[in-house]
Amino acid sequence: MIQFHVFFNLSKSYNPVVLSEFEIIRHYFSQASPTAELGVGDDAAIIAIPLGKELVVSTDTLVSGQHFLADTDPLKLGHKSLAVNLSDMAAMGATPRWAMLAITLPKQLIKENSQWIGEFAKGFYTLAQKYHVSLIGGDTTSGPLNICVQIMGEIDQGKALLRSNAQPNDDIWISGCLGDAALVLAHQQQRIKLQPLEVEQCLPALLTPTPRVELGQQLINYANSAIDISDGLLADLGHILDCSDVGAIISFNAVACSGVLQNYLPHPDVINCLLAGGDDYELCFTASTIYRLEIERLSSELSIPLTRIGKTTAIKGLTVLDSDGSELMQENKGYEHFYT
Ligand code: ADP
Ligand code: MG
């Protein structure tokens, strides 16, 4: 593609400080990709899908100033840009295999911080290696900082976990704790004041989320539907309900949260972080009640808390019950309150 703001300098006086697009690719994004037929370096990559498998594909973009602060640690940003994509694979029950990275970098950033790309690449590759994911291609341009990752995974044909297959009377489960990422973001934006130790405890949730890849892969044996919580529990559970044509009743008290978040309940903004904050990258899934023991066993095997927060219903609508059984929230009656 023609670029109007290229890195490389066509004049003879080569500036060693500003790396060319090709140098960036060669130095930072060209690690071997043994799981691809052809990786970085040609016009396109080639991958082979084993017989009986389906290709599962997703993409997510992180925009500077929108999804992260411009001065975010590049090591952590590299991690997060892949983690949010791995989380989509987890939600489908797929095994992530290949990634593409389209990155737009401000010239100024490269000039002022020569470590930036190396740190970003390190964060990205470290997480990729953990899941045996190969970076097989991408695009490198200059402009406002923007990171777009495409992830590809595989799954046995017909086995993917969909949003559309929840059944009435399923148990609704969540993994991990919700709300910490939104809580610490609220602190950074001075909407809530946390103690320094609390900030330290919540920051990893925002900056280096752990995608629940192993959990998703196991859940294909038990769950009827799944989604990863990126936009907040209510919104994302709402997608399952809409797609599956069912409703749900959940208990506010059952929604697992950290001790830090617990300290600030029942502050309405903190309830909001927990139920509608987003950036959790935990899984919300539904499963038949017959699988309770298996799912609890899975929880201890994987050392991931899995909590039952309610049930799906044949009658549509989403109700959140308070500890005394009263309606804390009912869709269409104050639902918007939980959306920032
Ligand atoms: P083209 O001009 O044909 O689009 P490029 O020069 O953009 O090719 O890319 C050359 C090779 O480097 C391609 O294989 C491409 O997929 C890969 N590539 C470019 N940018 C990245 C990146 N940020 N991460 C990984 N691979 C990249
Ligand atoms: Mg290109």
Side-chain angles (χ1 to χ4, degrees):
M1 220 189 285
I2 294 174
Q3 288 181 55
F4 296 102
H5 305 285
V6 285
F7 291 112
F8 48 89
N9 191 344
L10 291 176
S11 75
K12 289 259 157 51
S13 57
Y14 172 69
N15 177 356
V17 180
V18 184
L19 292 170
S20 78
E21 170 193 349
F22 306 111
E23 284 168 326
I24 290 174
I25 298 167
R26 190 156 44 82
H27 281 298
Y28 298 109
F29 299 120
S30 292
Q31 287 192 17
S33 46
T35 59
E37 308 302 298
L38 185 64
V40 171
D42 212 310
D43 293 307
I46 304 176
I47 51 180
I49 310 300
L51 214 62
K53 300 275 187 186
E54 287 173 326
L55 187 64
V56 184
V57 188
S58 176
T59 190
D60 253 319
T61 301
L62 300 187
V63 179
S64 179
Q66 184 86 28
H67 301 105
F68 63 92
L69 300 172
D71 63 357
T72 297
D73 177 352
L75 186 81
K76 297 193 163 99
L77 192 58
H79 172 106
K80 185 164 178 176
S81 59
L82 181 59
V84 300
N85 280 275
L86 290 173
S87 180
D88 284 321
M89 292 289 103
M92 301 299 287
T95 303
R97 302 262 286 151
W98 307 281
M100 308 277 283
L101 167 66
I103 187 163
T104 307
L105 296 159
K107 272 195 259 186
Q108 204 59 23
L109 179 69
I110 310 308
K111 257 194 223 159
E112 284 169 4
N113 185 351
S114 58
Q115 314 285 305
W116 200 95
I117 311 176
E119 288 295 292
F120 176 90
K122 189 171 158 194
F124 188 99
Y125 273 117
T126 303
L127 186 62
Q129 274 151 14
K130 183 171 170 199
Y131 292 104
H132 310 289
V133 167
S134 295
L135 179 64
I136 58 168
D139 201 19
T140 306
T141 52
S142 76
L145 184 57
N146 181 302
I147 299 143
C148 176
V149 174
Q150 185 186 35
I151 188 94
M152 284 156 280
E154 58 186 32
I155 195 163
D156 287 344
Q157 261 168 23
K159 286 286 188 186
L161 293 172
L162 306 182
R163 297 177 178 189
S164 54
N165 197 42
Q167 306 298 313
N169 283 321
D170 272 357
D171 286 326
I172 301 171
W173 297 79
I174 55 166
S175 66
C177 290
L178 305 187
D180 280 358
L183 186 68
V184 75
L185 182 66
H187 168 84
Q188 286 178 342
Q189 296 174 337
Q190 296 174 353
R191 290 182 279 119
I192 285 168
K193 174 107 188 72
L194 300 181
Q195 298 305 309
L197 187 63
E198 294 173 331
V199 173
E200 208 178 294
Q201 286 171 328
C202 292
L203 263 182
L206 180 66
L207 299 179
T208 50
T210 304
R212 299 303 194 184
V213 176
E214 302 87 348
L215 174 63
Q217 286 169 346
Q218 293 292 321
L219 284 177
I220 58 175
N221 300 312
Y222 309 114
N224 284 332
S225 68
I227 193 166
D228 68 319
I229 306 174
S230 53
D231 296 329
L233 173 66
L234 296 184
D236 288 319
L237 174 58
H239 291 314
I240 289 185
L241 305 182
D242 287 345
C243 294
S244 301
D245 231 8
V246 294
I249 300 177
I250 63 172
S251 305
F252 176 72
N253 270 19
V255 179
C257 65
S258 69
V260 175
L261 193 142
Q262 188 88 51
N263 288 340
Y264 292 86
L265 289 175
H267 189 302
D269 291 348
V270 177
I271 294 178
N272 203 49
C273 288
L274 180 57
L275 296 182
D279 250 8
D280 295 301
Y281 303 106
E282 295 293 349
L283 296 184
C284 174
F285 58 96
T286 78
S288 161
T289 54
I290 62 171
Y291 289 127
R292 279 184 190 174
L293 284 180
E294 277 86 346
I295 291 169
E296 277 158 17
R297 178 185 48 78
L298 203 57
S299 169
S300 54
E301 264 174 30
L302 298 174
S303 302
I304 299 172
L306 298 177
T307 313
R308 251 183 313 123
I309 61 167
K311 292 191 75 79
T312 56
T313 55
I315 298 164
K316 294 219 255 173
L318 172 55
T319 303
V320 182
L321 297 180
D322 213 341
S323 47
D324 61 2
S326 66
E327 283 180 7
L328 179 71
M329 188 218 80
Q330 216 272 322
E331 192 182 13
N332 308 326
K333 289 189 220 156
Y335 195 72
E336 307 79 40
H337 170 74
F338 291 90
Y339 290 88
T340 45

